[in-house]
Amino acid sequence: MRFVGSLIAAFLLVPLSVDAARVVYEGLPSGRVIMAGARQAKPYLAVAGKQGLILSLEAPDAYEWRRGEVSALDYAPDGDLWVGLNGRFYRDNLRGSGMVDRTASFKPFGATGRLFVSRLGDVWLSKAAAMRRHDGLFVPSGFSTADGLTVEPRCDDPFGNVWAAMVDGEGREMGLAVRTTNKPGEWQRVTLPAEMSDGWSGLCMDDVGFLWLATESVILQLDPRRRGEIKRAFQVPAKSGITCIARSPNRHIYIGHRDGSIHELTDPEAGARAMQPIDRLPGGPIRGMMHHAVSGFWVVVGEKVYRRAELIRSWQRAWAEAPLMPAGNHDNLCARIGDKLYSAGGKTYFGWPATEWTNLDHVWSYDTRWRVWAVEAPMLEPGKAYPGIAAFDEELWLIGGYFRAGKGTRATATVEIYNPATKKFRLGPEYPAARGQGAALTVNDRIFVAGGAESNAGSKEMFSIGVGEDEWRPEPPAPGPLIQAAGCVIGDKMYIASGVRSECPGLFVYDAAKRQWSTVKHPSETPPAAPLVTAWRDEVWVMGGRGKSSGETATFGYSTESGGWTRGPDLPLPVSWGAAASVNGGILIAGGAYRVKETGGFFNSDRVFFWNRR
């Protein structure tokens, strides 16, 4: 294990666009603070204890929701709230049905203990013999009480792992454990530096896949991509002792101090991390913090709850965070059926250590009404990634794709058809050629698949199929060899964006009625490769993608009526190979990949953002 120490000696002040924090609630009882719902529609705050309290944080104020003996609180990805109250454990769907007692199913040892709900919907109680899986089944929790320590799950990561604190009888965090996709039936102890073994008070995951722990004077960064490796440790001046840490929306973390001050641990372009002052609030130590996707930054100091409706970076003026994907993913194009978006067959690093590629060969869905992600059925061909994806006659068509073959890939011509109503697959008419990464789009009563690759070289070929047909029909070839392309449909026309590698000047346009191709030039000198693309009304939005040597954040909308381009707001991340869709009057982007300088490689993002254009 490599341990790198770094002394933070400078406090760098970077101009921020902020509103002053104001008190929204007074009179909190003493006790452990729980904050839930950072990316949900409405966040909640609880104070654990016999005289506990749960608040609904409805900007610009906070309101009492429940009083009593509070032990636990967390959001599930389906929008339900799980609550430990008065010695019982409840599930509330927050849609008028009320709280349902689920205590007996968890087989608690005594008190209900602390709670954690994973992004997939797995529900853990720290003092229970059973946990609830996201499919609704209750199975043994597998908690270990070796050395008199209790396992308390606290957070998950983009690689499919759950991280837990090992807690002593007085509630102090004395060790770290992980439950991985590699060994799902057990908790594995993680070795920590000596200075972290005397108790620590913070554990959270940032937005580039690093796990953070904190004692009163040390902050430690652990990388799940490298087993047991401590990436960095930072000494914080003792006079500003740490009381809590929380995720920052800017790929970093917030640090709350005993003197009421708040800092953000940032990464300036010079390369050395630094503590950036955010605020100093009166009333004692910082007890809890949470950045909410819409309502701002919530802070608990003493008996008061503060809210700051801040805009820390310019992207937050246009883009709001949405619930995370089930895992980090890229090449995860999507298609819409009814109120849901469907994706399948992306590729990422998975497990612990997250060093091996995994093909995510399940269907994923996103409910646009409730903002909920779910992992649905596995494909018929296990281990497949990068199929063309299109919605057709209320079903999801997955055309071709890649398998791993030694150090390379092997393409397939299989067509799989998924029925969301029955959640079952069947085989469709085989595609005329083995291809992966084909641009699949539906125009009226036909699916068109353009390009794709058998290995690394794109193809100009295009085929289509209609309702009730059992053979693919040849279509006029594309103007260039399409690979890593994305597209959308407006009227009777397909608009496909790619880059120089596909000989695309910006957009390839196919008129399905006339069976003719044309081109549109992109405003940039070099059109982006692997961009995110969606239709919004009569406009084709081409966002992010790869430039000459790096990822881009620029967004451009092409009007199919006027023939002109409009510059849109920059993306929050320089992301490529991701999904985009028009939903709820705006534009949603999900997943994709971009380089992270802390690791020197690509990070497969699990983040989702929404641009409200209404």
Side-chain angles (χ1 to χ4, degrees):
M1 179 177 66
R2 184 162 57 92
F3 180 72
V4 181
S6 176
L7 179 64
I8 299 175
F11 292 83
L12 302 183
L13 182 61
V14 178
L16 304 175
S17 173
V18 299
D19 296 331
R22 74 178 188 88
V23 176
V24 297
Y25 187 89
E26 297 187 60
L28 284 183
S30 60
R32 175 172 54 90
V33 171
I34 309 168
M35 306 186 82
R39 292 178 171 95
Q40 301 289 344
K42 181 173 66 176
Y44 284 80
L45 183 156
V47 179
K50 294 194 175 187
Q51 305 298 320
L53 172 70
I54 302 176
L55 300 179
S56 171
L57 303 180
E58 300 181 39
D61 297 305
Y63 304 93
E64 291 188 13
W65 187 67
R66 293 285 190 279
R67 281 187 176 272
E69 184 177 353
V70 176
S71 60
L73 177 79
D74 206 355
Y75 253 115
D78 60 6
D80 289 2
L81 200 66
W82 291 82
V83 182
L85 185 66
N86 298 326
R88 309 297 293 175
F89 192 63
Y90 301 92
R91 179 180 184 178
D92 192 325
N93 67 9
L94 302 178
R95 295 188 284 274
S97 299
M99 296 199 302
V100 178
D101 192 333
R102 301 306 309 272
T103 310
S105 299
F106 287 88
K107 302 178 181 178
F109 301 136
T112 54
R114 290 182 65 151
L115 164 73
F116 170 71
V117 185
S118 76
R119 68 181 71 192
L120 286 179
D122 295 334
V123 184
W124 304 84
L125 281 178
S126 63
K127 296 181 180 179
M131 56 85 65
R132 182 187 186 275
R133 295 195 327 196
H134 60 275
D135 58 8
L137 296 177
F138 285 83
V139 298
S141 64
F143 287 155
S144 170
T145 56
D147 304 325
L149 300 179
T150 300
V151 178
E152 293 186 354
R154 297 288 178 86
C155 65
D156 55 18
D157 65 25
F159 315 111
N161 306 309
V162 175
W163 297 86
M166 304 290 287
V167 180
D168 67 11
E170 298 179 3
R172 295 180 303 173
E173 293 90 344
M174 306 299 292
L176 180 68
V178 61
R179 190 176 178 113
T180 75
T181 55
N182 314 67
K183 296 182 179 180
E186 64 181 87
W187 291 94
Q188 301 176 58
R189 191 80 175 258
V190 180
T191 303
L192 295 176
E195 52 263 59
M196 307 298 291
S197 62
D198 292 333
W200 38 274
S201 59
L203 174 64
C204 71
M205 182 65 57
D206 69 14
D207 284 320
V208 289
F210 289 111
L211 187 74
W212 293 88
L213 298 86
T215 67
E216 182 155 321
S217 60
V218 176
I219 301 173
L220 179 144
Q221 181 193 52
L222 186 145
D223 189 356
R225 285 153 283 215
R226 296 172 175 84
R227 183 185 294 272
E229 179 176 333
I230 305 304
K231 187 69 177 177
R232 289 188 181 91
F234 305 93
Q235 292 291 140
V236 177
K239 65 180 181 181
S240 59
I242 301 168
T243 54
C244 60
I245 58 176
R247 180 194 67 93
S248 153
N250 305 308
R251 298 174 43 186
H252 308 302
I253 60 168
Y254 291 129
I255 304 169
H257 298 268
R258 195 167 300 283
D259 62 1
S261 63
I262 302 170
H263 294 83
E264 185 177 12
L265 190 60
T266 63
D267 193 359
E269 294 191 13
R273 285 188 175 261
M275 299 273 284
Q276 175 184 306
I278 299 295
D279 208 344
R280 185 186 296 271
L281 300 173
I286 304 294
R287 295 173 62 189
M289 302 178 291
M290 179 175 64
H291 174 84
H292 183 247
V294 177
S295 60
F297 189 40
W298 301 83
V299 185
V300 178
V301 185
E303 65 172 10
K304 298 179 180 179
V305 180
Y306 288 83
R307 173 181 170 268
R308 180 197 287 281
E310 62 189 306
L311 297 172
I312 300 177
R313 299 291 185 268
S314 59
W315 67 262
Q316 291 169 283
R317 293 183 173 90
W319 298 91
E321 293 180 285
L324 295 171
M325 300 175 72
N329 198 355
H330 86 299
D331 281 276
N332 54 298
L333 302 178
C334 66
R336 181 165 185 161
I337 301 174
D339 291 317
K340 290 187 177 182
L341 303 177
Y342 292 90
S343 177
K347 190 174 178 181
T348 193
Y349 288 110
F350 220 55
W352 181 68
T355 55
E356 288 291 327
W357 280 111
T358 296
N359 290 349
L360 301 173
D361 53 6
H362 284 61
V363 170
W364 291 4
S365 67
Y366 178 76
D367 191 314
T368 61
R369 299 163 301 172
W370 305 112
R371 304 193 327 147
V372 172
W373 286 95
V375 177
E376 302 201 10
M379 286 186 269
L380 297 176
E381 292 185 308
K384 183 170 62 179
Y386 300 170
I389 298 173
F392 191 45
D393 198 24
E394 300 302 310
E395 293 182 307
L396 184 69
W397 283 53
L398 306 176
I399 302 109
Y402 289 146
F403 298 98
R404 295 182 66 173
K407 294 183 179 180
T409 58
R410 174 177 58 85
T412 178
T414 302
V415 174
E416 300 189 25
I417 303 173
Y418 178 66
N419 187 319
T422 63
K423 298 188 182 300
K424 292 183 178 180
F425 277 99
R426 71 179 190 278
L427 292 176
E430 188 171 273
Y431 195 65
R435 294 280 188 269
Q437 299 182 326
L441 296 166
T442 303
V443 183
N444 298 325
D445 60 350
R446 301 192 72 81
I447 292 179
F448 294 80
V449 182
E454 186 174 2
S455 56
N456 291 321
S459 169
K460 294 183 180 182
E461 290 182 325
M462 182 167 71
F463 298 89
S464 74
I465 196 167
V467 175
E469 297 178 1
D470 56 11
E471 290 187 3
W472 291 83
R473 183 180 80 186
E475 299 286 346
L482 285 167
I483 187 172
Q484 297 185 354
C488 63
V489 174
I490 298 178
D492 292 332
K493 294 182 179 180
M494 297 167 21
Y495 297 84
I496 299 176
S498 191
V500 176
R501 186 178 175 188
S502 297
E503 303 172 13
C504 182
L507 294 172
F508 287 151
V509 184
Y510 183 71
D511 188 320
K514 298 179 180 179
R515 301 186 73 186
Q516 293 178 348
W517 286 96
S518 60
T519 60
V520 174
K521 184 173 174 53
H522 192 275
S524 300
E525 180 181 348
T526 303
L532 287 65
V533 179
T534 189
W536 188 81
R537 296 181 179 173
D538 74 321
E539 299 170 357
V540 179
W541 279 87
V542 180
M543 301 169 285
R546 299 292 297 170
K548 288 184 178 180
S549 59
S550 62
E552 302 286 345
T553 58
T555 68
F556 294 91
Y558 172 73
S559 171
T560 59
E561 292 186 358
S562 69
W565 290 88
T566 301
R567 184 74 158 82
D570 281 0
L571 298 180
L573 304 167
V575 69
S576 310
W577 307 290
S582 176
V583 299
N584 302 331
I587 292 177
L588 184 89
I589 64 170
Y594 59 97
R595 285 196 179 275
V596 174
K597 62 183 176 180
E598 291 97 326
T599 65
F602 280 98
F603 174 65
N604 300 304
S605 179
D606 56 348
R607 299 184 75 183
V608 182
F609 301 93
F610 179 68
W611 174 23
N612 190 345
R613 300 209 57 199
R614 288 178 292 184

